[in-house]
């Protein structure tokens, strides 16, 4: 893995993406991608298989971006989510694995019958329950 500490961090004018500049190039991560792969326990759970599928996040933007010491970023999103710290190694991993991780996310949405759109996600939640499709192991 390359050096995980970015040389520069740029928030887009529309606040819908974050560009991380490294010695080997720049990588742009959308706010939606960052939100659905939040390192928070709310999203990741407390162990393997406890992840919560994030739905309806297509239009989410970054409301605030703050350094957390010298090791991470704290990102506040327009849907109110602000837990979980994106440490430099995790951000670099997101940059390096973005294409495959994005495809995995889209596949999970399809399997759950869920959507990236907020309105459709609300309908799916009413149909399947609070977890958004049973991926949490609950019975619907």
């Amino acid at each position: 893995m390359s050096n995980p500490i970015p040389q520069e961090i740029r928030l887009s004018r529309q606040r819908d993406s974050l560009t991380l500049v490294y010695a080997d190039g720049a990588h742009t991560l959308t706010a939606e991608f960052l939100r659905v792969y939040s390192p928070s326990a709310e999203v990741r759970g407390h162990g393997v298989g406890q992840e919560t599928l994030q739905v309806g996040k297509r239009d989410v933007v970054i409301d605030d971006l703050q350094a957390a010491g010298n090791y991470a970023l704290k990102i506040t999103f327009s849907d109110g989510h602000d837990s979980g710290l994106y440490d430099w190694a995790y951000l670099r991993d997101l940059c390096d694995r973005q294409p495959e991780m994005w495809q995995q996310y889209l596949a999970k949405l399809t399997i759950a019958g869920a959507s990236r759109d907020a309105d459709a996600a609300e309908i799916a939640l009413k149909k399947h329950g609070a977890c958004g499709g049973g991926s949490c192991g609950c019975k619907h």
Side-chain angles (χ1 to χ4, degrees), residues 11 15 36 39 41 43-44 60 62 69 72 75 80 89 92 97 99-100 113 120 138:
L11 179 60
R15 305 181 83 77
V36 301
V43 174
R44 289 178 124 177
V60 76
I62 297 170
I75 303 174
R92 182 62 202 222
R97 298 181 46 227
E100 72 183 74
C138 61

Side-chain angles (χ1 to χ4, degrees), residues 17-30:
S17 66
L18 192 64
T19 299
L20 302 165
V21 180
Y22 298 95
D24 63 347
H27 301 269
T28 299
L29 304 173
T30 66

Side-chain angles (χ1 to χ4, degrees), residues 74-96:
K74 179 177 178 168
I75 303 174
T76 302
F77 296 93
S78 58
D79 66 353
H81 183 75
D82 67 352
S83 60
L85 296 177
Y86 295 77
D87 68 47
W88 301 133
Y90 184 63
L91 282 167
R92 182 62 202 222
D93 188 50
L94 291 176
C95 290
D96 292 342

Side-chain angles (χ1 to χ4, degrees), residues 45-140:
H46 295 284
V48 177
Q50 294 183 359
E51 302 86 2
T52 301
L53 181 62
Q54 301 299 297
V55 298
K57 304 302 179 191
R58 182 190 304 263
D59 296 324
V60 76
V61 295
I62 297 170
D63 277 349
D64 192 33
L65 186 64
Q66 296 178 4
N70 292 321
Y71 68 96
L73 289 179
K74 179 177 178 168
I75 303 174
T76 302
F77 296 93
S78 58
D79 66 353
H81 183 75
D82 67 352
S83 60
L85 296 177
Y86 295 77
D87 68 47
W88 301 133
Y90 184 63
L91 282 167
R92 182 62 202 222
D93 188 50
L94 291 176
C95 290
D96 292 342
R97 298 181 46 227
Q98 180 181 16
E100 72 183 74
M101 292 174 77
W102 184 247
Q103 290 308 311
Q104 290 170 356
Y105 170 66
L106 295 177
K108 288 177 184 178
L109 283 176
T110 299
I111 290 167
S115 174
R116 294 172 55 210
D117 297 309
D119 292 341
E122 289 175 24
I123 293 167
L125 286 175
K126 289 176 185 169
K127 180 178 176 185
H128 295 292
C131 72
S135 61
C136 65
C138 61
K139 307 274 188 251
H140 295 285

